[in-house]
Each structure stands twice: as C-alpha cells, then as structure tokens.
Amino acid sequence: MSTATISMGSAKHAVIARTLTNEIAHGVFHVGEILPSEADLSTRFEVSRHTVRAALRTLQELGLISSQPGVGSVVRASQVDAHYTQSFTSVEDLLQYTKTTRFEMLERAEVVADAGFSQRVGGRAGDRWWHLVMLRTAMEHDLPVTLADVFVPYDIGLTLGDFPHHEMPIFTQIEKTGALIVEIKQEIAAAMPAEKEALILGIERDQPVLVITRRYYGKQMQLLEVTRTVHPAASFTYQMDVRLAPQRTM
C-alpha cells in the first residue's frame, strides 16, 4: 500500500504546541519552571520565532504557561483543562461532529486491496479504494481529538470529485450522489497507538487510545465507506444515550 508523506504545512505551530504540552505533562518542564527562550525553541524545532510565538500563545490560552516580561514563559499548570465529548444518539449527531471540529488532510492515496486489507477494512481483494488520513482538532482549542483513516471505494470517490468537504461528512456527500446508506455498523475498542499515530496526536506510545471503526452500507449491503478513528483516551469521551421502551404492564 503506497502512502503520501505527511505534511503538517501551516500547522507547525500546533505541532510545537502539542510537543511542549506533552513534555509539560510528563515532567520535562515542571510547574514554576521557565521554558527555553524563543530563540532556543526556534533552533530546536527549526522554525521561525513567529511560529514559536504562535505555539506559546496556544499554551498560554490553554492555561499551561504565562508570559512574564523580562523573565520568559513560566509553566503554570501541568495538565490542559481541555476535554472533548462526542455524543451519539442518531446519525444527525455525526453531522454535528464536523461543526465542532476542524480537519486537516494529511494523506490521500489510491490503494488496491490485498487479503490483509480486505480482512481489516472489508470488500474483496483486488478492489480499488481511496485512502484518506485526516486530523481533527476541537474548535475551542488546538489539540487533536481524532486521527482518522477513511476508505472510500474508488468509483464512488470519482463520483464525489473534490472530497472531503470541511463542513460535511463524507457519508453525506455519498448520499448526495444518489446512494442510500441504510446501515452503519460500529466497533469500539481500546488500544495502544502505533508510533505514527502517537506522533501525530502528540501523545506517548504508552498512552491508550480509543479506536472507533464505522462501516457504512448501502441498500445491497455493499460497503460505501469505512472509517477508523483514533482518539487520545485522556482527552476524549464517547457518550451514547440509549432510551428503553416503557415496560408493558402484565
């Protein structure tokens, strides 16, 4: 399976912010300690001081550091008071997810399914798929809440043209082409992140993640989309409400 190189692009400041946040949380920098100077951080991350300032501003907005003239950036807290909760009671709740998060496309590639792919994702060996990798962050802070692998059958991807849309889930775009999604099967599991996943999410390899796999089926029970989302367990809650029918009086 061929994949493109991950490009963080204009989000370099976010990567630096996530790295420093993780280091503060793990005691590399303690509460009351002064962070390295902008010049030192600029050298370390090989970016401009403007990018470093943007990263430090994020940490300040999260309440992790404060800026003191003539002193520098002082660590004020070891943990971010930021937690993202996704509620799910209907398909409409999946639509709300796109309105409370922003996404960045990391990879996009065409793949041909082999036996291993078919076992993990679905479909038949030899089928062609589009594979997208997207990072989602919550609107209220700059920390990631979801790293998603999205698989769409090749022909459907051609029909969609330019996708995904930043305000519309892919399954909604698929239905706009005339296909009808009649069933969504969901699996939730706890796991340890792969090295690449931990790097992008800004967490350690020993920090557990929540993995949610959804398969979207059409009228003939054909796969129209498969998503595998990885969420940092320490900052993500998945909430599902189940309403029971009233018991019948005998």
Side-chain angles (χ1 to χ4, degrees), residues 47-239:
V47 297
S48 68
R49 294 183 66 167
H50 175 77
T51 300
V52 169
R53 290 191 197 101
L56 294 176
R57 185 161 54 248
T58 297
L59 266 62
Q60 193 167 352
E61 292 171 353
L62 293 172
L64 288 175
I65 66 172
S66 64
S67 179
Q68 295 186 8
V71 177
S73 299
V74 181
V75 178
R76 293 303 183 195
S78 61
Q79 296 290 334
V80 177
D81 186 17
H83 200 94
Y84 186 84
T85 300
Q86 181 186 1
S87 297
F88 181 71
T89 58
S90 66
V91 174
E92 285 69 26
D93 287 329
L94 294 178
L95 299 175
Q96 295 299 319
Y97 190 46
T98 62
K99 298 178 181 179
T100 57
T101 60
R102 63 176 68 88
F103 82 83
E104 178 182 2
M105 177 73 71
L106 303 183
E107 299 179 19
R108 184 188 183 104
E110 177 189 339
V111 299
V112 177
D114 55 18
F117 180 97
S118 298
Q119 185 175 7
R120 293 191 314 272
V121 178
R124 300 167 301 179
D127 287 348
R128 297 164 69 192
W129 294 74
W130 291 104
H131 177 203
L132 285 64
V133 180
M134 298 185 293
L135 180 67
R136 282 193 175 274
T137 57
M139 291 293 191
E140 66 268 23
H141 54 75
D142 208 20
L143 297 178
V145 294
T146 301
L147 177 62
D149 283 283
V150 180
F151 302 93
V152 176
Y154 185 79
D155 291 343
I156 292 178
L158 291 181
T159 302
L160 293 178
D162 185 20
F163 77 101
H165 190 281
H166 69 284
E167 292 183 349
M168 185 184 302
I170 293 176
F171 73 84
T172 300
Q173 293 179 260
I174 291 174
E175 290 201 314
K176 286 185 176 294
T177 68
L180 180 63
I181 294 174
V182 299
E183 186 173 344
I184 302 174
K185 294 185 178 181
Q186 176 172 272
E187 301 171 3
I188 302 177
M192 304 305 292
E195 182 177 356
K196 179 179 175 182
E197 293 169 342
L199 177 64
I200 296 174
L201 291 171
I203 60 177
E204 297 292 332
R205 287 289 306 277
D206 60 355
Q207 290 183 252
V209 292
L210 187 69
V211 180
I212 302 176
T213 303
R214 293 191 182 106
R215 292 178 171 85
Y216 300 78
Y217 293 89
K219 290 188 294 184
Q220 305 301 320
M221 294 307 293
Q222 74 276 28
L223 269 176
L224 300 179
E225 181 188 359
V226 179
T227 64
R228 179 184 181 275
T229 56
V230 180
H231 313 267
S235 59
F236 182 89
T237 298
Y238 185 86
Q239 177 178 311

